[in-house]
């Protein structure tokens, strides 16, 4: 089964995303911020990364940049609750940087699963 | 299934069971009907409400659209009218009007050119025609020379000629002779100086212009736009219809409505032109006798409603179908169980009948035994022989009597008959006896009876033989045997025999007895009638085998046909070893039960019971059992019946399945049963079985069963004791339900519910849900913490009003004390309206922002955000400003005056105060002064103030003073030199200001300003709203997602599912609420695409012209600019918000709004920038407000008139497009908002597209 790394600072959101992904049958590992997420990514090389944008320590844009710098074909889905700078900009930025897909919070669990599935099915 | 089997097996004796079943079925059907009616009613109500909402929205849309249409059309007419006026004015100015010469002078080519020039200024103006007072066309802008046609008969000419008071007239549409298109003429009267008619100027407007305009404006189907003259003449219409232009329609009714409503109206009509019900919006074009109407068919307004209606109706029908199906299954189940119960009671009755038969057989047996005992006694007596010995003489008189009877009767000397008072003359018995005696023959067994003196009757038997003495008869000698006991035994045996016969005859079952030699003794009629073929053989002494063979021959044993000998052998073998009951069939189809028993005497008693009915019952019981098994299988319910008599246990098929064993390999025994139980549950189950299973109150229990493959099933067992009619416990019926799925679901549900609760609790903001009756559903700890006074009430079910009242009591606010009820009523009313977020001050001084939102089910979801910190920043800034002002007000300035020639120094009082010394004790001089200056500042102080002040005139020196008491003051000094008459410096005068407080305040203010700047920046970027939105969106993720997941766990309707749907709805409502407070009016789907700002601005201004007051001039200064990457509707919103704001800044006054668009120099990043500015001549914005105008919820308008979100929205949109917004304002003169947006980069158009997933 595909492995997915979830980088998200909010515990409740992280648990929820994990639960949704596990219900879809994926192996899920988690990280609480971008820095830990980056370390986890290097160690595990997951099939897909789902990262929040606004996080303490190291925010998501920088994390996406580092992951793609490390592995240009890495698959990333960016999620964000919007806010500080208008989340569309952040998510747009994430997409421009190379995130395969973006998803504003809150989201429908089926939506998340279908995006993950599409992402993983793509080359 | 809520029904339990035992209830049905033992129905309440007071109510006939079928009635109970029928009532149950009736109730179910009634329930289904009620549920169906409720579903239908709810659907109808919802559909009606949706329809009303759609109709209202459609009407509002239509009105707005008509407004734009009317405004645009009016402007067109206005401009034509203006050109006409202008043309006439210029003609008058150039030459004046002489009615006599007018025709001749104006028919020249110069006038034609003049008209041509005028006509080209407006696109909709096709032609300008000049007509003289007689109605002859004398000139035209279109061609020269004119044909000189006459318009004297046209309606406009007639109207203007006959009515001098008319300034202009709008003619009915005509087909233009020149262009063959529909045209209307605006005719303008040209007056001679004396007021008489000099001529008429006609402006021809091609109606195609309006048709095209309406076609462009009407995007969607089902709409129409029409232009009317107010007499009902149709001027233009889109969609165009043949033969309608220029026709008059009776519009009286709808135009009356228009005049009654001040120039605009919206109503429903049946179409005048096209049939069908439609909404019509009408608006009079200002001063013109023209009415613009737009219509929209009810069908198009209700199109989306229809789709909803179909979906809802299908849903309702489906729901009713599901309910009906469920009810049908339930009734079927109950009927099946009822059948089983009836079959069982039928079987019980049969068993009772058999038992009573057994009693009869036992009585017969006893009678037979008695008979046998009597016979034995008789034989004993016979063996003992005679009781008396007697002798008689020749005359038959007794000579000797010896034996037991001696003394009982006085017989000696009497004959036998004399002794017992018999009479041979009258009694045949005695006559025969006397004859025998007289003929001297031996006699034997002569029986007679007599009565003893004590009344007892004796039966005796006499035997005698004659005694001859040498041939001479001498008399008789013999014996007498007492037969009294024998006779009474015989009588009793006869009675017993009769009793037996009566008994067996009274049996409805066949009864037969064979003796020990297997010979027929007797039978009853029932037996005989069962075997009509062999009835003639049933005579005492006939062997059983013969009777049987006769029966077989007669064909009354269908089982034997074809195998007669074997069958007879088997039957005989069974007959000779009786005991087991067997069933047999008879020729007429009757089924009998054959019971044979060996009796004590070795004979055989046989019983034939007609069990035909029982067989039918058994068969139907078998069918019922199969139905029950199927039902149990479906319900995953097995049952076990344990009979206490013999401790027999019967399991149903499903029970074997539940326990994972088969009927073939597993025998239901308590000990074996326990082996199937999970080891952890085994003790509890065993204890229950021992303790209570035979008791009157068995308990239900749940335990685990381990299958041989290791699978664990959860089983729910319910037990009921079964009593017979006498109230004796005869068995125990247990049902076992496989509840594994339910149990797992429950465990799962508990886990997920805990997770969900945790999710709600994890929100740092207060969160609460009230149901439609305004009772609390749930809230989190944050909410309870906010309202500690009423935390005890914050439990599900508490009405909001109760919470409110307790809060009021707890707060004890004296201002409310007097009119509590009014306050509560106001609060509840305000709650009914909801909508706007409200700031609330809490009892402990905290401030919260309260968002309450009506949910779709009528309940209320509330959020409480703590904004105390924000409030504090706002307050401290306000305070610091006041302090600064106070400081400035009380600051004093001192002075120093030094005479350069005498060196004398004069200080003002304030200077002493500044230096912290007192006049008299301190003598000011350059040296003493220098000593008080801070060592670090001394050098510059000496240089600038003492040594060479002249060089530093006009500059200020800031230095520190250390007062004698050690405190430090900051002083600002400004020297000036005073010259004498010879222009030589005479005195140095310095003004000293103690700026310590001021500087401290300034520094403090700078700090606060920095803080505020930070806060402003955050606010301006929408951080308050955005931050809340971000956090709320995060917290909404688990609520929305997990409740959605949970819904899958509960596919069936039920309380849990309803609750989950409420939570999901609330979270969706909360999500929408977040979108609102976000204050970024971005749409859910922002589509950034390459747009041309020029077109966007023009469209926006078209819309705005309708809403901006006429007193305000809208000026466009628009240059073409490169495209930008933006969301068109958002940019429109920016323009609309800014222009609307500008119009509101101007207010009722006359003013101007200038909208400019231009390219600007590249920004810091080297991107080309586009500058959009909106300038108004309004009141300007004060400095205090500038910093706050972009804050969400900041407004200068009265409460309720503005959301305070407009500029915040603008800011959010501009920021999201990577742009900036600047403000230039002067109080009383106006403001300019400058929006700078980056131009689209040459290669970004592709990148902006969603990246294809390859």
């Amino acid at each position: 089964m595909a492995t997915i790394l979830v980088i998200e600072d909010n515990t409740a959101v992280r648990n929820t995303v994990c639960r949704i992904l596990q219900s879809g049958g994926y192996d899920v590992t988690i990280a609480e911020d971008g820095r830990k997420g980056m370390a986890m990514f290097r160690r595990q090389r997951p099939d897909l990364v789902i990262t929040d944008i606004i996080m303490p320590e190291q925010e998501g844009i920088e994390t996406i940049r580092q992951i793609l710098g490390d592995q240009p074909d890495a698959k990333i889905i960016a999620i964000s609750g919007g806010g500080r700078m208008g989340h569309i900009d952040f998510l747009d930025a994430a997409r421009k940087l190379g995130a395969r897909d973006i998803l504003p919070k809150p989201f429908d669990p089926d939506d998340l699963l279908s995006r993950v599935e599409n992402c993983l099915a793509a080359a | 299934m809520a029904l339990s089997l035992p209830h049905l097996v033992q129905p309440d004796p007071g109510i006939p069971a079928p009635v109970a079943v029928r009532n149950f079925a009736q109730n179910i059907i009634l329930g289904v009907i009620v549920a169906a009616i409720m579903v239908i009613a709810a659907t109808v109500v919802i559909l009606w409400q949706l329809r009303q909402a759609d109709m209202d929205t459609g009407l509002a849309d239509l009105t707005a659209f008509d407004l734009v249409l009317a405004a645009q059309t009016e402007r067109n007419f206005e401009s034509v009218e203006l050109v006409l006026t202008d043309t006439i004015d210029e003609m008058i100015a150039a030459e004046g009007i002489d009615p006599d010469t007018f025709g001749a002078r104006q028919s020249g080519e110069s006038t034609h050119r003049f008209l041509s020039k005028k006509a080209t200024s407006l696109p909709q103006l096709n032609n300008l025609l000049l007509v003289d007072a007689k109605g002859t066309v004398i000139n035209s802008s279109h061609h020269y020379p004119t044909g000189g046609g006459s318009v004297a008969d046209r309606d406009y000419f007639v109207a203007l000629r006959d009515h001098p008071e008319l300034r202009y007239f709008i003619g009915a549409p005509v087909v233009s002779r020149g262009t063959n298109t529909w045209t209307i003429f605006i005719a303008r009267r040209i007056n001679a100086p004396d007021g008489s008619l000099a001529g008429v100027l006609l402006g021809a407007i091609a109606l195609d212009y309006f048709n095209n305009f309406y076609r462009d404006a009407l995007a969607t189907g089902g709409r129409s736009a029409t232009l009317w003259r107010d007499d009902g003449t149709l001027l233009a219409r889109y969609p165009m219809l043949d033969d309608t232009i220029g026709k008059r329609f009776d519009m009286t009714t709808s135009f009356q409505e228009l005049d009654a409503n001040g120039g605009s109206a919206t109503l429903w009509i049946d179409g005048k032109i096209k049939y069908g019900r439609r909404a019509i919006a009408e608006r009079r074009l200002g001063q013109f006798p023209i009415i613009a109407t737009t219509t929209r068919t009810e069908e198009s307004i209700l199109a989306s409603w229809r789709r909803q209606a179909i979906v809802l109706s299908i849903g309702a029908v489906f729901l009713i179908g599901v309910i009906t199906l469920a009810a049908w299954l339930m009734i079927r189940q109950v009927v099946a169980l009822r059948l089983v119960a009836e079959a069982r009671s039928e079987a019980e009755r049969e068993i009772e009948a058999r038992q009573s038969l057994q009693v009869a057989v036992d009585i017969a047996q006893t009678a037979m035994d008695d008979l046998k005992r009597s016979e034995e006694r008789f034989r004993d007596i016979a063996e003992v022989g005679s009781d008396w010995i007697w002798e008689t003489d020749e005359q038959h008189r007794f000579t000797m009597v010896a034996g037991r009877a001696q003394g009982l009767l006085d017989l000696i000397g009497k004959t036998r008959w004399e002794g017992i008072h018999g009479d041979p003359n009258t009694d045949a018995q005695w006559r025969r006896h006397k004859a025998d005696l007289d003929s001297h023959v031996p006699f034997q067994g002569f029986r007679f009876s007599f009565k003893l003196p004590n009344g007892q009757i004796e039966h005796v038997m006499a035997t005698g033989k004659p005694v001859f003495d040498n041939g001479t008869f001498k008399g008789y000698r013999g014996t007498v045997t007492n037969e009294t006991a024998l006779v009474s035994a015989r009588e009793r045996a006869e009675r017993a025999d009769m009793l037996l016969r009566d008994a067996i005859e009274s049996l409805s079952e066949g009864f037969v007895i064979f003796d020990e030699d297997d010979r027929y003794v007797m039978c009853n009629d029932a037996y005989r009638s069962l075997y009509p073929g062999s009835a003639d053989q049933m005579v005492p002494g006939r062997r059983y085998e013969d009777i049987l063979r006769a029966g077989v021959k007669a064909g009354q044993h269908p089982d034997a046909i074809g195998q007669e000998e074997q069958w007879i052998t088997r039957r005989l073998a069974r007959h000779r070893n009786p005991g087991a009951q067997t069933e047999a069939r008879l020729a007429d189809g009757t089924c009998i039960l054959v019971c044979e028993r060996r009796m004590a005497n070795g004979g055989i008693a046989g019983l034939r019971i007609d069990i035909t009915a029982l067989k039918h019952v058994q068969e139907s019981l078998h069918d019922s059992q199969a139905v029950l098994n199927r039902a149990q299988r479906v319900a995953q319910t097995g049952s076990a019946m344990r009979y206490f008599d013999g401790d027999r246990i019967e399991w149903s098929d499903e029970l074997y399945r539940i326990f994972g064993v088969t009927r073939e390999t597993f025998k239901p025994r308590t000990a074996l049963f326990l082996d199937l139980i999970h080891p952890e549950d085994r003790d509890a189950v065993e204890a229950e079985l021992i303790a209570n299973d035979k008791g009157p109150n068995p308990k239900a229990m749940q335990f685990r069963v381990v299958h041989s493959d290791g699978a664990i099933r959860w089983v729910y067992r319910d037990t009921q004791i079964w009593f017979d009619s006498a109230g004796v416990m005869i068995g125990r019926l247990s049902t076992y339900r496989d509840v594994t799925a339910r149990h797992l679901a429950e465990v799962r549900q508990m886990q997920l519910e805990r997770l969900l609760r945790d999710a709600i609790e994890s929100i740092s903001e207060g969160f609460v849900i009230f149901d439609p009756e305004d009772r609390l559903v749930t809230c989190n700890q944050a909410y309870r913490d906010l309202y500690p006074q009423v935390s005890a009430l914050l439990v599900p079910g508490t009405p909001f009003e109760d919470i409110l009242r307790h809060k009021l009591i707890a707060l004890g606010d004296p201002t409310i004390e007097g009119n509590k009820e009014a306050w509560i009523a106001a609060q509840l009313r305000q709650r009914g309206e909801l909508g706007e977020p409200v700031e609330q001050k809490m009892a402990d001084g905290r401030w919260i922002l309260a968002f309450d939102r009506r949910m779709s089910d009528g309940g209320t979801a509330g959020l409480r955000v703590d904004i105390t910190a924000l409030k504090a920043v706002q307050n401290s800034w306000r305070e610091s400003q006041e302090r600064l002002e106070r400081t400035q007000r009380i600051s004093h300035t001192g002075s120093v005056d030094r005479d350069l020639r005498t060196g004398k120094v004069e200080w003002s009082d304030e200077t002493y105060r500044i230096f912290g010394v007192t006049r008299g004790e301190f003598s000011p001089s350059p040296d003493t002064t220098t000593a008080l200056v801070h060592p670090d500042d001394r050098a510059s102080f000496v240089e600038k103030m003492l040594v060479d002040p002249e060089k530093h005139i006009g500059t200020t020196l800031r230095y520190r003073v250390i007062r004698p008491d050690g405190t430090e003051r900051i002083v600002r000094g400004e020297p000036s030199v005073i010259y004498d008459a010879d222009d030589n410096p005479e005195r140095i005068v310095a003004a000293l200001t103690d700026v310590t407080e001021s500087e401290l305040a300034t520094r403090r203010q700078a700090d606060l300003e920095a803080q505020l700047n930070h806060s402003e920046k955050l606010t301006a970027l929408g951080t308050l709203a955005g931050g809340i939105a971000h956090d709320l969106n995060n917290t909404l993720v688990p609520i929305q997602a997990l409740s959605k997941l949970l819904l899958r766990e509960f596919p069936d309707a039920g309380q849990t599912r309803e609750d989950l749907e409420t939570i999901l709805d609330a979270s969706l409502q909360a999500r929408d609420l977040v979108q609102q407070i976000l204050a970024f009016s971005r749409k859910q789907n922002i589509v950034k695409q390459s747009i041309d700002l020029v077109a966007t601005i023009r469209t926006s201004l078209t819309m705005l012209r309708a809403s901006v007051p006429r007193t305000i001039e809208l000026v466009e200064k628009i240059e073409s600019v490169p495209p930008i990457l933006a969301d068109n509707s958002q940019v429109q919103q920016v323009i609309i918000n800014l222009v609307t704001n500008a119009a509101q800044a101007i207010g009722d006054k006359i003013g101007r709004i200038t909208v400019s668009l231009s390219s600007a120099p590249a920004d810091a990043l080297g991107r080309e920038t586009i500058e959009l500015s909106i300038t108004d001549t309004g009141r300007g914005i004060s400095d205090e407000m500038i910093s706050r105008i972009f804050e969400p919820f900041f407004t200068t308008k009265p409460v309720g008139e503005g959301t305070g979100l407009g500029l915040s929205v603008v800011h959010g949109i501009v920021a999201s497009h990577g742009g900036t917004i600047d403000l230039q304002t002067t109080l009383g003169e106006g403001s300019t908002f400058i929006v700078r947006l980056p131009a689209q980069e040459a290669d970004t158009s592709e990148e902006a597209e969603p990246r294809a997933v390859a």
Side-chain angles (χ1 to χ4, degrees), chain A residues 44-116:
Chain A
Q44 300 210 331
R45 296 287 162 190
D47 298 305
L48 176 69
V49 179
I50 295 179
T51 180
D52 189 14
I53 302 284
I54 299 161
M55 288 185 291
E57 289 298 312
Q58 179 182 309
E59 46 78 38
I61 295 291
E62 178 59 22
T63 307
I64 293 170
R65 196 176 283 134
Q66 285 188 15
I67 286 173
L68 291 171
D70 210 43
Q71 183 186 324
D73 64 345
K75 293 174 178 175
I76 301 173
I77 296 179
I79 55 176
S80 175
R84 294 184 212 288
M85 299 288 278
H87 74 262
I88 293 302
D89 265 358
F90 273 140
L91 289 177
D92 275 357
R95 198 198 271 287
K96 276 192 179 176
L97 276 175
R100 296 290 177 102
D101 209 342
I102 55 177
L103 186 59
K105 297 176 194 168
F107 44 77
D108 190 282
D110 294 334
D111 194 14
L112 176 65
L113 281 176
S114 72
R115 281 165 195 267
V116 166

Side-chain angles (χ1 to χ4, degrees), chain A residues 13 16 81 89 105 108 110 122-123, chain B residues 1033-1034 1038 1044 1048 1216 1253-1254:
Chain A
V13 177
T16 305
D89 265 358
K105 297 176 194 168
D108 190 282
D110 294 334
Chain B
N1033 277 340
N1034 267 339
K1044 187 89 188 282
R1048 287 189 204 147
S1216 78
V1253 180

Side-chain angles (χ1 to χ4, degrees), chain B residues 37 44 149 191 292 396 491 540 563 643 715 1033 1094 1124 1164 1193 1254:
Chain B
I37 290 170
V44 168
N191 281 339
H396 313 310
E491 282 170 356
Q563 43 157 4
Y643 298 93
V715 175
N1033 277 340
V1094 177
I1124 65 166
F1193 310 115

Side-chain angles (χ1 to χ4, degrees), chain B residues 3-24 334 337-346 348-349 720-725 733:
Chain B
L3 295 163
S4 64
L5 192 56
H7 282 116
L8 290 168
V9 172
Q10 294 189 299
D12 183 349
I15 303 167
V19 176
V21 171
R22 204 162 52 239
N23 284 345
F24 176 79
V334 169
L337 294 174
R338 180 64 238 155
L339 271 175
V340 172
E342 279 172 10
R344 287 228 164 122
S345 62
E346 188 71 23
E348 270 176 62
R349 277 200 294 283
Q720 186 127 357
I721 297 296
W722 203 3
F723 298 90
D724 68 7
S725 54
L733 179 71

